[in-house]
Amino acid sequence: MNRKRRLPLFWTAIFVCAAAYALIIHGVPYVAREVVGPAEFELPVPAALRLMYLLLIVVGALVYVSYSERNWNEFLWPLSSLLAGRYGIVPKILVMLLFPLLLGWGVIVSGRGGVASPSALWIQHPSSNFPRQYESWHNPLREPSEEILEAFTSEAKDGMYDAIPTAPMQAFLDTIKSGKTANEAVSRAALQEKYLYEGRILYQTNCRPCHGTKADGNGPMAEGFRPRRPINFTDVGTIDTLVEGYAFWRVKTGGLGLPTEASPWDSAMPVWGRQLGEHVQDLSDEQINKILLAEYATARKDPRIPE
Amino acid sequence: MATGVSRNNKLWGVVRTCVIIGILVIAPLFGLMSAPPALAQEVAGKLANSPQAVEAGRQLYFERCSFCHGLEGAGDGPVAETLDPRPRDFTSCIYKFRITESGELPTDEDLLRTISVGVHGTGMPFWDNSRVKTGLTTEQRWQVIHFIKTFCPDFEDAEFDPYKRIVVDAAVQAPEQTATLLAAGKKAYEEAKCHECHGVAGRGNGTSAPTLKDDWGYPLLPRDLTKGWRYKRGSRVEDIYITMTTGLNGAAMPTYRDTLSDEARWQLAHYVKTLQRERILETLLVAKQVEGDLPTAPDDPRWPEMANVIDVPLSGQVLARPRLQTPSADNLRLSALYNATHLALLIEWHDRFQDVEHQAPPAEPYDMQFTYPHLYDEQRPRPARYTLGEPPQVQYRDAVAVQFPVQLGDGPQKPHFFQGDTSNPVYVWYWHSDGDKVEEQNGRGFDRPLTVQPEANQQTRSQATWQDGRWRVVLWRPLTTPDNDDLQIAAGRNIPLAFSVWDGYNGEVGLQRSLSTWIFLQLEASPSSSLYMWAVVAIGLGIVAEFWAAGRARRKHSHAER
């Protein structure tokens, strides 16, 4: 009646389900760790996804074992053999005793209600209320005008930037201080160094307490903000997958500017564009632009190019 | 199968089953593969000092260190004025974390350790890049070290060679902890007068605490020894022993190498380690139901006996001006109990000084001018924490606030944890130390003042004690009240809770405080009796189902056998 299999279908099905599930639970974090590189946190598969995968696997297995009458009978064979007493009277009695007790216990546990923290909403890149004008926004400091460049050059001639030791700045200063005119590429590179210098000071003063000196989300104030810990900018999938305008919008409108599906009520991100007076913002737009330059540089990332 | 299962097949079936079960058990062990990588413990080959190393170090220092430590290494970078403790002044040649004698320079390996591991509880991060990509490689760390040493000419002077003054092995191992060792350590703690700075229970509230200064004249507070996560060098017994042996240059912690024997220092280190308290960082607290009256005194023994406890970490209020990233309280301990009519919360936090004097804060605090306060700004009105020997210019009381939403929603939506928002109000129990009084208030956002409920609607009561560096406050209220502006409390639901703590000594008032995000409180509901009935029904149905299945199975198999 049944084909001779090396393994009964019942156990094959269970083994395949368990192995596939184990592969997802453990294999995915392992591969993710290889891709992401060293970090202090684990990368577990989220609980909702685990449930989804488990359901998919079980439904798939069920479809397979039930697609023919023969398969179905073969699948049920060990179970029905047990109930018919073919493996002995003791296993049969054990299973028939445990099954209803398990059902009763399951009812009590589920009815008692879990005493568990409720889950929180989170979306990687909430954008349902992302203003369109920021999609193609370019940081003006990355392409400063001629006037700004000229003003910078005359300031540099007066020695204002002598303390910046990086190569692009020093090359520029050497050129202009010996009376020559620096070419545009050299001047712009030096101006970027100036912006980076100022931006780093602003970032380290204002953002470091939460986002950390190394832009890794490990600032001294990070511990108290749960479950929405300050973002780790070195993580793949944060600022490197976003256009710079998105980051500008996030900094300016803060946690309260998030859409509902991103749990704004749990977010500690300050509204840095908050008006404090007629002409005063917590951080001005120019300061935010400098901070973005420094933030990307500190995290060693580049923003995504707008379409 | 034409005939019955043969004996051989049965045995093979059992073996197969065992193999399958074995694999199912071993598969989860592969979870070890996804564990985070171990921290790089070894010091890779040391980079020799050279002009190239110093120049590379200069570039790295400029990019990564100068905003705190200053372009000239004097600890006066632009960020320094917002930090407490301040960044190290390298030009002073004074270093805290060494294995050398008190007053001496550190070895190069000491500097590597400090840079790699960071200084816990301060603005100095860890730079070990095996933990985070944006750190520094070992070679880069050596380059920075060689550059930093150029700020202090003593490093070039053979007379001050730190390698000739090493007094402890960096990899020293602690002896085993025994009961006699701990008892001797406790005695040593008293005899060495550690309590004069660190307090009897180790909460940093000793009698000398208000007077301590560092070598630059900035005020210092002795470490709260119960908070292992805040020990600057580290919280292991070995770290404590090394600190005691070498002292912390420039700070008020002296060396005990000459006054205590090696054995005594180990005993003391073991004892101090036992002062550290583990935190229970759950986000849900279950309040147990109690028969009879609730305990309203903070030191009622029923609290530790009956109530669950969680720790709530607090951060400084860094969301809106006037900000505070140097708060006094970084942890709060919460217990809760309820009975048929009332809910009681016991809130504890460490506060070195009891502040009950209060003056009205200015409408526009000085710190509103900056994104972060410039702590030592001459113009800034000084609280007792920063008076540097002078009387304080502002005095505020200690306080704690427990915040709830006014309504519990069905979904996850809540008011913002920072005093709510315009569409979602919050309900606050605000307790303050002057008068041991609690007021019920409502708020609609941090940018407007909280409204105090009228006297007739104040149902919450309080009882508080401050002792040996710790506040303990019990707040209790009837579960239901007739006010629409109060949260009505019921069992079986997750109730969001958030906290704020003010320490007057640190100048904390208004928006300048420690705060937490939402955690959850659930009043434990006993399951209704109908649940047990349903369980019995489920058992009955299960029995019916399995007998039916067994009957079918028997029929199928006897049919197959014929």
Side-chain angles (χ1 to χ4, degrees):
Chain A
M1 182 181 163
N2 294 318
R3 267 181 302 155
K4 271 232 146 57
R5 275 179 186 274
R6 271 175 301 151
L7 219 58
L9 187 58
F10 181 76
W11 294 111
T12 310
I14 290 187
F15 172 71
V16 165
C17 283
Y21 189 61
L23 197 70
I24 287 170
I25 299 301
H26 300 301
V28 169
Y30 179 70
V31 170
R33 170 62 56 218
E34 296 300 307
V35 166
V36 166
E40 297 213 283
F41 43 86
E42 308 207 24
L43 294 165
V45 178
L49 267 183
R50 289 184 186 206
L51 189 63
M52 223 163 71
Y53 285 133
L54 183 63
L55 278 175
L56 272 172
I57 292 166
V58 166
V59 165
L62 273 176
V63 164
Y64 177 75
V65 301
S66 63
Y67 87 94
S68 77
E69 185 71 28
R70 190 170 79 176
N71 261 7
W72 184 237
N73 287 333
E74 193 185 328
F75 173 71
L76 285 180
W77 187 254
L79 209 57
S80 64
S81 300
L82 175 78
L83 287 175
R86 311 215 79 193
Y87 296 140
I89 192 77
V90 171
K92 174 180 174 183
I93 288 187
L94 216 63
V95 167
M96 291 188 73
L97 217 61
L98 284 177
F99 174 69
L101 288 178
L102 218 73
L103 269 186
W105 179 78
V107 165
I108 292 189
V109 160
S110 59
R112 212 163 37 193
V115 177
S117 293
S119 49
L121 294 172
W122 189 64
I123 289 191
Q124 174 92 347
H125 302 312
S127 54
S128 59
N129 62 340
F130 179 42
R132 294 284 146 240
Q133 78 251 31
Y134 290 125
E135 263 177 31
S136 49
W137 182 86
H138 289 268
N139 191 335
L141 298 182
R142 291 189 195 269
E143 276 137 30
S145 66
E146 291 292 325
E147 290 90 35
I148 294 175
L149 209 57
E150 270 168 35
F152 164 67
T153 307
S154 62
E155 282 169 358
K157 278 208 189 100
D158 293 337
M160 219 163 121
Y161 305 114
D162 289 355
I164 300 179
T166 55
M169 179 60 82
Q170 289 300 312
F172 172 72
L173 290 175
D174 285 341
T175 312
I176 58 171
K177 286 210 174 150
S178 61
K180 295 188 268 217
T181 326
N183 78 42
E184 189 168 332
V186 172
S187 309
R188 286 188 179 276
L191 182 51
Q192 287 301 302
E193 291 297 307
K194 172 205 174 209
Y195 286 145
L196 273 175
Y197 170 63
E198 292 169 356
R200 270 193 289 263
I201 291 171
L202 286 166
Y203 173 90
Q204 298 289 342
T205 304
N206 299 300
C207 318
R208 175 202 51 84
C210 289
H211 289 285
T213 309
K214 306 186 295 299
D216 58 358
N218 274 333
M221 294 293 106
E223 297 302 321
F225 297 125
R226 314 177 293 176
R228 293 279 75 83
R229 208 183 147 91
I231 297 277
N232 171 0
F233 298 130
T234 69
D235 199 4
V236 302
T238 57
I239 55 177
D240 52 348
T241 60
L242 302 165
V243 294
E244 209 171 351
Y246 188 95
F248 181 85
W249 167 65
R250 292 279 71 254
V251 171
K252 190 147 180 191
T253 61
L256 288 172
L258 285 169
T260 313
E261 66 267 19
S263 304
W265 48 84
D266 277 336
S267 171
M269 179 65 184
V271 179
W272 287 110
R274 180 177 166 225
Q275 294 293 125
L276 298 170
E278 211 178 292
H279 301 292
V280 181
Q281 279 177 205
D282 207 349
L283 280 178
S284 69
D285 281 4
E286 164 116 357
Q287 288 174 317
I288 296 177
N289 294 338
K290 286 182 184 165
I291 284 174
L292 289 173
L293 285 181
E295 176 185 316
Y296 276 97
T298 308
R300 312 253 193 78
K301 304 255 183 217
D302 293 307
R304 198 166 126 201
I305 300 168
E307 276 143 49
Chain B
M1 296 208 254
T3 58
V5 178
S6 74
R7 231 200 144 109
N8 238 2
N9 268 351
K10 212 175 188 172
L11 183 66
W12 187 221
V14 170
V15 167
R16 271 196 309 241
T17 309
C18 288
V19 166
I20 291 166
I21 291 176
I23 291 175
L24 290 177
V25 164
I26 292 172
L29 293 178
F30 287 124
L32 292 174
M33 284 200 303
S34 56
L39 302 180
Q41 299 289 356
E42 283 134 23
V43 172
K46 180 173 170 179
L47 188 72
N49 201 344
S50 69
Q52 294 81 9
V54 170
E55 180 52 35
R58 178 199 309 279
Q59 299 287 332
L60 288 166
Y61 177 89
F62 168 76
E63 193 190 311
R64 318 293 215 104
C65 320
S66 62
F67 36 76
C68 288
H69 287 284
L71 290 168
E72 314 293 320
D76 58 355
V79 183
E81 50 192 349
T82 66
L83 292 176
D84 177 27
R86 290 176 71 93
R88 180 68 11 182
D89 172 4
F90 299 128
T91 63
S92 67
C93 307
I94 299 175
Y95 287 85
K96 279 194 174 124
F97 308 110
R98 320 160 324 279
I99 53 172
T100 55
E101 222 176 308
S102 176
E104 301 297 331
L105 291 171
T107 64
D108 296 345
E109 286 73 21
D110 285 332
L111 296 174
L112 182 74
R113 196 206 76 94
T114 302
I115 293 177
S116 306
V117 163
V119 180
H120 306 143
T122 72
M124 176 65 184
F126 67 86
W127 288 99
D128 183 350
N129 79 318
S130 70
R131 291 165 68 183
V132 169
K133 284 181 286 203
T134 48
L136 294 169
T137 65
T138 315
E139 188 188 12
Q140 287 174 321
R141 278 174 265 152
W142 282 123
Q143 288 165 342
V144 172
I145 287 168
H146 290 313
F147 174 71
I148 284 174
K149 284 167 66 177
T150 64
F151 289 128
C152 166
D154 289 355
F155 276 112
E156 318 248 316
D157 194 336
E159 205 190 311
F160 298 120
D161 185 2
Y163 289 91
K164 297 209 174 76
R165 290 168 168 81
I166 293 176
V167 293
V168 65
D169 179 4
V172 70
Q173 293 283 320
E176 279 228 13
Q177 187 192 80
T178 62
T180 36
L181 201 77
L182 285 180
K186 183 154 194 249
K187 197 148 156 290
Y189 188 90
E190 288 155 32
E191 283 170 0
K193 302 223 192 335
C194 306
H195 56 269
E196 273 184 7
C197 290
H198 290 285
V200 171
R203 300 192 190 107
N205 61 312
T207 45
S208 308
T211 63
L212 300 178
K213 290 200 185 72
D214 65 15
D215 279 14
W216 293 265
Y218 293 113
L220 281 177
L221 285 177
R223 190 65 13 188
D224 180 338
L225 298 173
T226 67
K227 298 182 174 176
W229 67 92
R230 295 292 294 263
Y231 285 31
K232 291 193 172 122
R233 175 185 253 119
S235 58
R236 304 172 312 152
V237 177
E238 289 85 355
D239 297 318
I240 302 168
Y241 168 81
I242 295 175
T243 298
M244 271 188 238
T245 305
T246 64
L248 298 178
N249 289 349
M253 174 66 187
T255 171
Y256 285 91
R257 191 161 154 263
D258 304 319
T259 46
L260 290 176
S261 71
D262 204 58
E263 195 191 353
R265 272 176 275 132
W266 279 119
Q267 292 163 352
L268 199 40
H270 271 292
Y271 174 68
V272 168
K273 175 79 184 171
T274 62
L275 293 176
Q276 292 171 17
R277 220 187 39 192
E278 281 294 315
R279 291 197 288 179
I280 305 162
L281 294 172
E282 304 290 316
T283 48
L284 172 69
L285 176 66
V286 174
K288 293 215 181 102
Q289 190 169 18
V290 157
E291 303 295 325
D293 283 336
L294 290 173
T296 55
D299 39 29
D300 193 312
R302 281 180 288 167
W303 283 111
E305 276 166 28
M306 297 169 58
N308 292 325
V309 171
I310 62 169
D311 286 289
V312 182
L314 305 168
S315 283
Q317 190 287 98
V318 293
L319 281 78
R321 296 196 208 184
R323 293 186 171 83
L324 186 75
Q325 62 170 316
T326 52
S328 169
D330 65 350
N331 189 68
L332 177 152
R333 197 147 239 243
L334 179 69
S335 316
L337 289 171
Y338 80 107
N339 64 10
T341 51
H342 285 73
L343 166 71
L345 301 179
L346 169 63
I347 304 164
E348 302 175 31
W349 73 97
H350 291 183
D351 186 342
R352 288 177 178 84
F353 309 103
Q354 184 181 19
D355 307 295
V356 292
E357 299 292 322
H358 189 70
Q359 63 188 79
E364 272 285 302
Y366 182 79
D367 293 334
M368 273 301 276
Q369 301 173 62
F370 312 103
T371 52
Y372 276 91
H374 296 184
L375 295 170
Y376 295 97
D377 194 331
E378 303 257 297
Q379 313 270 355
R380 184 177 192 246
R382 291 182 193 283
R385 171 87 179 83
Y386 294 107
T387 53
L388 299 169
E390 311 278 304
Q393 294 165 325
V394 286
Q395 268 191 298
Y396 301 125
R397 62 197 172 197
D398 294 334
V400 65
V402 185
Q403 178 183 276
F404 307 84
V406 172
Q407 304 267 352
L408 292 182
D410 283 320
Q413 230 162 330
K414 304 185 229 352
H416 193 273
F417 71 85
F418 189 21
Q419 275 182 217
D421 45 70
T422 42
S423 45
N424 268 304
V426 292
Y427 164 65
V428 175
W429 296 349
Y430 174 68
W431 173 89
H432 44 91
S433 63
D434 57 336
D436 188 358
K437 199 167 175 311
V438 60
E439 288 163 11
E440 293 179 25
Q441 301 173 334
N442 290 96
R444 279 182 183 274
F446 64 85
D447 47 356
R448 63 192 76 177
L450 296 146
T451 50
V452 183
Q453 292 185 3
E455 190 59 42
N457 294 359
Q458 299 280 350
Q459 292 96 1
T460 313
R461 300 284 174 262
S462 72
Q463 190 178 346
T465 56
W466 180 90
Q467 202 196 20
D468 200 15
R470 179 172 62 176
W471 273 113
R472 307 179 80 194
V473 178
V474 178
L475 301 173
W476 67 95
R477 198 204 77 172
L479 294 173
T480 52
T481 68
D483 307 336
N484 285 336
D485 291 329
D486 291 357
L487 172 72
Q488 305 305 318
I489 299 172
R493 291 202 67 176
N494 280 328
I495 300 170
L497 231 66
F499 295 91
S500 296
V501 171
W502 290 261
D503 178 7
Y505 187 80
N506 199 30
E508 297 176 15
V509 73
L511 293 186
Q512 290 187 299
R513 65 218 210 191
S514 314
L515 47 59
S516 80
T517 50
W518 292 112
I519 56 147
F520 297 95
L521 173 69
Q522 194 178 117
L523 276 55
E524 192 173 49
S526 38
S528 60
S529 48
S530 67
L531 190 66
Y532 295 106
M533 185 196 73
W534 283 114
V536 166
V537 166
I539 289 174
L541 284 175
I543 292 176
V544 165
E546 68 186 1
F547 269 98
W548 171 82
R552 254 193 69 146
R554 223 185 359 258
R555 273 197 302 281
K556 180 161 29 169
H557 281 257
S558 60
H559 180 78
E561 255 165 40
R562 272 189 225 116

